[in-house]
Amino acid sequence: MFFLNPSTKLEISRRHFLATPCFVKRSASRSLYLSLKSKMSKGPGLFTDIGKKAKDLLTRDYNSDKKLTVSSYSSAGVALTSTAVKKGGLSTGDVAALYKYKNTIIDVKLDTASIISTTLTFTDVLPSTKTIASFKLPDYNSGKLEVQYFHDHATLTTAVALNQSPVIDVSATVGTPSIAFGGEAGYDSMSGRFTKYTAGISVTKADSSASIILGDKGDSIKASYLHHLDLLKKSAAVAEITRKFSTNENIFTVGGSFAVDPLTQVKARLNNQGQLGALLQHEIIPKSVLTISGEIDTKALDKKPRFGLGVALKP
């Protein structure tokens, strides 16, 4: 056993006191963010969330491009992302910077076409709200303002284009995280006509989700069902059917994902038009993912298959 003299105790206390505010500030900021996120997740979610899980499983990461993404973080807390894409004989790229400060997120992107895209996100400016402002330079008519309101049993979103003849989009959802009903509509103030109106319903359980969406101004209906095959939700099966009333066309698509191991995942999809797609994702190093995808037309095997390659590197 040993004892510290009073001056040593005083020095340790002083250092602890000086070190505490910074830690408390970071912890309080993260706690506030998690509290807001938890509060917003109690309700039914946004209208755009209806059918999103099934859509993502059937479409996300399938591509026929070559894409390289490199992400890094500065000491000031800025997330930097550089992306290069080659599609056919055309190459494009962009550099993006994202910074979070308290309840504000600033996202700025500059691409090879000299377009500067900026998105500002403010959480809880008013209680239970999220405000998103976006614009692109030098296109001064590209501005858009969106306000999302979250309630325990409803969500409401209003988006307005910031130009002389704005298009106004409104969507609303009522229900719970388990079952939700919603609709959206778009109105063109110049022509005085509705650009769209859509309605949907979703049912979500611990291991599955289902949705029905009536879209294209009532001209199409889409139903989807997703079922998770394991507790970690790494493997799943999905089915989707879309009917276009004006053309009597039906498109039926099935797909799934399977976790080969903790670092490798495979996905596949097939529709009744003969389009077969597959992809392989592998975490080559922690947080860095290699994606290889391809698609062929099984009803026209003479056509050239499409292949895609993506590499995402993160520190």
Side-chain angles (χ1 to χ4, degrees):
M1 181 179 293
F2 62 95
F3 298 93
L4 297 176
N5 60 52
S7 63
T8 304
K9 290 182 179 180
L10 179 61
E11 178 64 15
I12 293 175
S13 298
R14 187 177 71 86
R15 291 177 180 175
H16 177 71
F17 175 79
L18 292 175
T20 299
C22 183
F23 171 76
V24 171
K25 183 178 181 181
R26 289 195 298 265
S27 299
S29 177
R30 178 172 175 79
S31 297
L32 178 61
Y33 170 76
L34 293 176
S35 175
L36 292 171
K37 184 177 180 181
S38 175
K39 178 171 60 177
M40 293 180 178
S41 64
K42 291 180 180 179
L46 300 174
F47 179 77
T48 52
D49 294 332
I50 296 179
K52 185 176 184 299
K53 293 181 180 179
K55 180 181 178 181
D56 286 347
L57 183 55
L58 289 174
T59 60
R60 179 179 291 179
D61 299 321
Y62 287 95
N63 66 81
S64 57
D65 311 326
K66 297 178 179 64
K67 184 176 181 180
L68 172 64
T69 303
V70 180
S71 301
S72 62
Y73 300 90
S74 70
S75 58
V78 179
L80 301 174
T81 303
S82 300
T83 303
V85 179
K86 184 176 182 181
K87 185 173 184 179
L90 180 64
S91 297
T92 60
D94 61 68
V95 178
L98 186 146
Y99 179 69
K100 296 181 181 180
Y101 178 74
K102 294 184 178 179
N103 296 338
T104 304
I105 300 176
I106 304 172
D107 189 358
V108 181
K109 182 172 68 175
L110 172 64
D111 62 24
T112 50
S114 299
I115 297 176
I116 302 175
S117 304
T118 303
T119 302
L120 306 175
T121 304
F122 307 94
T123 302
D124 230 34
V125 174
L126 296 175
S128 302
T129 64
K130 178 186 291 186
T131 304
I132 304 171
S134 62
F135 57 90
K136 296 181 180 180
L137 296 176
D139 184 4
Y140 298 99
N141 293 321
S142 62
K144 183 178 180 181
L145 180 64
E146 179 177 344
V147 178
Q148 302 173 352
Y149 173 72
F150 298 86
H151 186 269
D152 288 347
H153 300 292
T155 61
L156 176 65
T157 300
T158 302
V160 181
L162 304 179
N163 52 47
Q164 294 180 350
S165 54
V167 175
I168 303 172
D169 294 326
V170 178
S171 66
T173 308
V174 296
T176 67
S178 299
I179 182 170
F181 305 84
E184 68 172 353
Y187 179 78
D188 189 339
S189 61
M190 175 173 283
S191 63
R193 297 180 178 180
F194 284 98
T195 59
K196 64 179 178 180
Y197 39 86
T198 309
I201 178 176
S202 67
V203 178
T204 304
K205 295 183 179 181
D207 61 349
S208 63
S209 63
S211 67
I212 299 176
I213 299 176
L214 181 66
D216 297 325
K217 297 182 179 181
D219 188 45
S220 68
I221 186 170
K222 177 168 64 177
S224 62
Y225 176 76
L226 181 146
H227 188 84
H228 295 286
L229 305 177
D230 61 341
L231 296 178
L232 297 178
K233 298 183 178 181
K234 296 292 185 179
S235 302
V238 62
E240 178 185 272
I241 183 170
T242 303
R243 177 171 176 79
K244 187 98 170 165
F245 297 111
S246 60
T247 60
N248 289 324
E249 181 183 11
N250 296 318
I251 300 178
F252 182 67
T253 308
V254 294
S257 64
F258 178 73
V260 180
D261 56 50
L263 303 178
T264 309
Q265 187 173 40
V266 294
K267 295 172 62 176
R269 66 182 182 188
L270 174 67
N271 63 24
N272 61 329
Q273 296 180 337
Q275 301 293 330
L276 173 63
L279 70 82
L280 168 70
Q281 282 188 325
H282 179 71
E283 189 174 357
I284 48 181
I285 58 176
K287 299 182 181 179
S288 297
V289 179
L290 169 67
T291 303
I292 302 174
S293 61
E295 184 176 79
I296 62 172
D297 188 346
T298 60
K299 294 184 178 181
L301 296 178
D302 56 323
K303 290 184 178 181
K304 185 178 180 180
R306 296 188 299 172
F307 296 98
L309 176 66
V311 178
L313 303 177
K314 294 183 180 181

